[in-house]
Every structure is written in C-alpha cells, then in structure tokens.
Amino acid sequence: MKRDYFSNSSKDGHRQPADQQGGSCIALIDARFLVWLAQHTQSGPKQDALNRYGIVHFLTGALAHAGLDVSIKRIYWYSEENESMDVDGQIVRKVLSHDTDGGISLLKSLGQDLRRLAESRACDHVLLATDDERFLSGIDDAQLAGLQVHILADDAASNMQQLHQTDPGWGRLMSQADRRVVVQSKSLAEMLQSAASKELPQVQEDPQVVKDSITDVIVSWWDDEPEDRRDELRDALHISRGIPQEVDRQLLLRMRHRLTRALTLPEKKLLREIFRAVALGTHLQDPSGPVDSAASSSLIDEPN
C-alpha cells in the first residue's frame, strides 16, 4: 500500500503535474535545518543517530510529487556533528556550530558548492534544504546561470501569504525557489529515525538547569541584536502579549542545539516568558516567578 509521505499541497496552483521536468539533481542539505524540519512539531530527545540511508529515496519521492522526474546524483550533507556513517553518494561537509559563528561557515561552504555547480553545469537541478535567507543572492546567481533551484519545506510553504507574514525571511527564500518541495514533518522524522534503536528512557533534567540554559541562550541572542531591532521588538511586545514567530523559531532552534533535544510544551512557554522579561528589562526582578502561559503564547498559533 502506498504511503502518503508528502502533502497534497506541495504542488503550487500554477504548477500542474503535467509539467514534468527531468534531468539530474544534486542535493545540498543543511543537516541542522533538516532535523528541525523533521522534529519541530515534536517534543522529546533529539535523535542522535540519523538514518541517511533512506534519504535519497525519500527526497526522490518528494521531488516527483512536486512534478520533477529527476535522479539525485549526489547529496552534500553539511553537519555540525562528527558524522560516523559512510553512505554511498553522500559527501559530508563539517561546519562550525551555528551558535559559534552564526552559520557563517555553512554559508561559505554550501554557497561555494552551489556556485561551483552552477559554473560547471554539473547538474540540471539543485535541491536545497536550508532556511537561511542569506543564500538568496547565491540562489539567484545559480538560476541566472541556468540551474533550477528547488527548496525543501514543510506545509508552511503551502500558504505563502501567511508565511510572508509570520516568517518573512523564510518566505523570501521560498519565493526564490523554482519549486517548493513540500514534505510532511512526521514522515521525514520517521525516515530519519527508522534505523534507530528502541527508545531509551528519558533522563529527568534539573528544571533550574534548563531554565538557566534558556536564559543564557536568550540573553546571548538579545545582546547580538542591533539596537534598532531591539526597539522594534520592544514596541511589538508592548502591543501584544505574544512574541513574533520568527524570533520564537530562532530561539527554539538554539535551544534544540543547546539541550540536544526539543523543548517540552512547558519549557516552550517558559522560553517565551523569559524572552519577554529579557526584552523588557525585567528578567532580573523575579527570576523564579511562575510562568504566565497566556503571556507566553506566540503572536500566531505555534506548533507545540
């Protein structure tokens, strides 16, 4: 029985199934983003060992569902982790942690590979898995050189108008794609975890340690923001009791890397409350106070 891996909304309205395009494809995968794409709607520990053996088949099916009859020649896998798995047709590129350099090493490594593929016309299509809008100019250059560049996304890309409102940076990146290749996060997670051993009992963490980690991440992020951006966020927080989704998303990603797992629902609420306190300058007044779940809700509905 055929499994429904991909969302029916992955084909945009103006792209008909009959518009089938063939050729060769090379995938450039930001491992950090792919893990987020698979697990951002889930709680629990991060999967340590990812199954990369099934990824070619999975991505080929996603491309076909988006109207692209292409064969994936090779995958470049950009990872912050020390990868021990050797998979035929996959090249691992080691990059620095996003918390270390803000994604600069990823930007340089993946961007250079995209440029060289375009210059040599090594393939007809590139499948890109990233949410960093700093790749916009590189994608544009590759497209002008004749490559078709497609971007992997979840169901958020099926409603571009809403995506532009809730996450403008990712929306701009998605708009640049020749095709938005939409996959269901749950199916992607199942594929990446299919080679994993049985789930281990979850070790209880000290809530204060988690809270301190959340505070450290938020303060570090806030300190790195320019003053005009801070003023803009403060104004938004005075108007609404939630926090902007693009900020929420960035902080959740940083916490996943810090704790090597997704935050639980109460921890997500705590993160949003601490962010409000840091932004408004009140986080030192009552560091152990209770979390107001209403105040910690996002400006729009957030996946738990």
Side-chain angles (χ1 to χ4, degrees), residues 3 5 38 42 51 185-195:
R3 298 187 65 183
Y5 281 114
Q42 305 176 50
N51 171 31
S185 296
K186 182 179 179 181
S187 297
L188 178 58
E190 289 176 352
M191 184 276 297
L192 291 174
Q193 298 175 8
S194 61

Side-chain angles (χ1 to χ4, degrees), residues 46-62:
K46 175 184 174 182
Q47 184 64 49
D48 292 327
L50 300 179
N51 171 31
R52 289 193 280 114
Y53 287 102
I55 196 169
V56 170
H57 178 72
F58 184 88
L59 294 179
T60 300

Side-chain angles (χ1 to χ4, degrees), residues 15 28 69 91 102 115 120 126 131 164-165 216 224 238 303:
R15 291 164 178 161
L28 308 179
D69 184 18
I91 308 297
R115 183 173 63 254
S120 63
V126 168
D131 62 343
H164 279 297
Q165 294 174 352
D216 288 345
D224 289 341
H238 283 302

Side-chain angles (χ1 to χ4, degrees), residues 18-278:
D19 184 22
Q20 197 84 1
Q21 299 188 32
S24 60
C25 178
I26 288 180
L28 308 179
I29 306 296
D30 173 3
R32 178 173 176 268
F33 169 72
L34 194 71
V35 170
W36 177 85
L37 194 66
Q39 300 182 352
H40 73 99
T41 60
Q42 305 176 50
S43 61
K46 175 184 174 182
Q47 184 64 49
D48 292 327
L50 300 179
N51 171 31
R52 289 193 280 114
Y53 287 102
I55 196 169
V56 170
H57 178 72
F58 184 88
L59 294 179
T60 300
L63 288 163
H65 199 72
L68 295 162
D69 184 18
V70 300
S71 60
I72 297 179
K73 295 171 58 176
R74 188 178 303 113
I75 290 176
Y76 289 89
W77 182 265
Y78 305 84
S79 176
E80 301 173 359
E81 310 297 334
N82 293 316
E83 297 284 342
S84 59
M85 181 182 296
D86 290 319
V87 183
D88 291 344
Q90 295 185 28
I91 308 297
V92 175
R93 302 273 204 240
K94 183 71 167 62
V95 296
L96 294 177
S97 162
H98 192 278
D99 286 343
T100 300
D101 72 345
I104 296 299
S105 61
L106 171 69
L107 187 66
K108 289 181 178 179
S109 181
L110 194 155
Q112 181 183 56
D113 287 341
L114 179 60
R115 183 173 63 254
R116 292 172 67 183
L117 288 174
E119 290 173 350
S120 63
R121 290 305 304 271
C123 56
D124 305 299
H125 304 264
V126 168
L127 176 61
L128 192 61
T130 183
D131 62 343
D132 194 332
E133 67 171 315
R134 290 176 293 181
F135 286 109
L136 273 173
S137 61
I139 294 171
D140 191 49
D141 289 343
Q143 290 169 324
L144 289 171
L147 285 186
Q148 292 196 50
V149 182
H150 317 294
I151 300 180
L152 201 68
D154 62 4
D155 280 324
S158 63
N159 188 340
M160 288 299 296
Q161 183 176 2
Q162 182 179 359
L163 184 61
H164 279 297
Q165 294 174 352
T166 59
D167 198 339
W170 201 17
R172 286 189 290 270
L173 193 68
M174 288 292 109
S175 292
Q176 187 70 31
D178 288 294
R179 301 273 174 123
R180 292 178 284 278
V181 180
V182 177
V183 298
Q184 292 183 355
S185 296
K186 182 179 179 181
S187 297
L188 178 58
E190 289 176 352
M191 184 276 297
L192 291 174
Q193 298 175 8
S194 61
S197 58
K198 294 182 179 179
E199 185 176 351
L200 297 175
Q202 188 171 350
V203 178
Q204 294 296 320
E205 295 179 84
D206 184 344
Q208 186 60 47
V209 172
V210 174
K211 183 175 182 179
D212 290 343
S213 297
I214 292 173
T215 302
D216 288 345
V217 165
I218 291 173
V219 170
S220 175
W221 182 90
W222 181 257
D223 288 345
D224 289 341
E225 289 296 293
E227 188 59 38
D228 57 344
R229 174 59 172 160
R230 295 186 207 173
D231 291 339
E232 179 183 314
L233 287 170
R234 288 191 192 100
D235 290 341
L237 293 175
H238 283 302
I239 295 172
S240 171
R241 292 178 63 82
I243 70 174
Q245 188 187 25
E246 65 270 19
V247 174
D248 195 50
R249 185 164 164 266
Q250 290 181 52
L251 295 176
L252 289 174
L253 280 171
R254 292 197 177 201
M255 286 309 306
R256 173 178 285 281
H257 181 77
R258 177 71 171 263
L259 300 179
T260 67
R261 64 171 177 83
L263 295 183
T264 64
L265 179 57
E267 290 168 347
K268 290 178 181 179
K269 292 178 179 179
L270 178 62
L271 176 142
R272 292 157 190 160
E273 180 66 16
I274 292 176
F275 174 80
R276 288 185 61 88
V278 169

